[in-house]
Amino acid sequence: MSGPAIERDTRLPEQGRLPERGLGLALEILEQVARHDHGTTAADIARAVGAPRATVYRVVNSLVRDEYLVRRADFSGFMLGARVLDLAAVVGAHARPDYAPIVDKLRAETGEAVHLFGFHRTGLTILDEDPAQPLADRDLLLADPARSASGHLWLLAHPERDLPGAPHWRVHPSADELQGIEDAFAVRGYTEQVATLAPDRGCLAVPIRDERSRPLGAVTLSIALVRLSVAARHIGALREAAAALAQSAPLSRW
């Protein structure tokens, strides 16, 4: 004999949303932030996803703590963080991006290792690593901006780097290091590192800027230390590539 039927409560909370739904809400929040290039506020996010503001604040704070979101420098809202941008670069690597022919051409012309980096508020993202001549030390490059030519350009492009919650570099350069980087760039118009990532290699980096001269990233040329003295002959090619890369998608929207 069957027992009484169990009546399921099919009623949904207000607006059909469960505050405890966790991952789904976090993904919706990330999607809303991604729709706003210059960031958006937690209040606007809450209105867009239709969830209680207190719940959205809790999820947003968790995403900031885990570096999926970052606070704007003026604390007026939130932007995508390093972990989302890195993930986007990994996903994009499976497709042939618009900038790939430019980077391939530069590698063929120079015969050297060429790498492409994107800049975001908390650091660097490796967009295109030379498959034939990989980076010497990825972890160190992404931890200490003073160790790489691309990191030098990032430092020059981000005077707000000392604001609370800005970069997440594990190593911070000294005032003397920063001054040396600025002085060298003022003379050369590009940055250079010598044997700071690998004892037998050096690197040159040229900035990639949009039409308003805002930094988008860097294109770099890594070369054996014994040939570093002649590496400057490739600067013209690097600058031409940087100008073309500034117009390419998705770099132009980075």
Side-chain angles (χ1 to χ4, degrees), residues 47-224:
R47 283 192 292 271
V49 302
R53 188 175 297 185
T55 301
V56 169
Y57 284 155
R58 286 197 297 272
V59 177
V60 165
N61 285 333
S62 295
L63 292 171
V64 170
R65 183 181 64 244
D66 293 335
E67 299 183 22
Y68 289 102
L69 294 178
V70 293
R71 290 182 173 85
R72 283 177 53 90
D74 58 5
F75 299 98
S76 63
F78 300 88
M79 301 175 67
L80 294 179
R83 295 184 71 176
V84 174
L85 298 176
D86 287 343
L87 179 60
V90 171
V91 172
H94 295 288
R96 185 74 173 167
D98 291 353
Y99 55 69
I102 303 170
V103 177
D104 290 346
K105 180 173 181 282
L106 185 59
R107 287 170 181 155
E109 286 179 354
T110 64
E112 303 293 349
V114 171
H115 309 294
L116 180 63
F117 297 87
F119 290 173
H120 53 79
R121 186 168 174 265
T122 60
L124 302 173
T125 290
I126 302 166
L127 296 177
D128 196 319
E129 180 178 3
D130 195 317
Q133 304 180 72
L135 293 163
D137 193 330
R138 290 169 60 101
D139 291 341
L140 184 57
L141 184 150
L142 296 174
D144 183 354
R147 291 294 192 107
S148 69
S150 53
H152 290 185
L153 289 178
W154 185 93
L155 289 167
L156 294 171
H158 290 80
E160 79 283 9
R161 58 185 171 265
D162 294 327
L163 291 176
H168 289 278
W169 299 100
R170 293 196 297 274
V171 180
H172 298 276
S174 67
D176 288 343
E177 286 177 305
L178 290 172
Q179 190 61 58
I181 291 168
E182 291 172 3
D183 292 345
F185 182 78
V187 173
R188 300 188 186 112
Y190 60 89
T191 56
E192 178 181 291
Q193 66 88 356
V194 180
T196 54
L197 290 175
D200 60 343
R201 298 192 70 81
C203 184
L204 311 181
V206 168
I208 302 169
R209 302 181 186 276
D210 65 13
E211 67 280 358
R212 296 170 60 186
S213 293
R214 292 176 300 189
L216 300 172
V219 58
T220 71
L221 183 139
S222 176
I223 190 167

Side-chain angles (χ1 to χ4, degrees), residues 229-252:
S229 60
V230 298
R233 67 184 178 183
H234 298 305
I235 288 298
L238 284 167
R239 286 178 172 148
E240 288 180 10
L245 288 164
Q247 305 302 317
S248 68
L251 193 65
S252 60

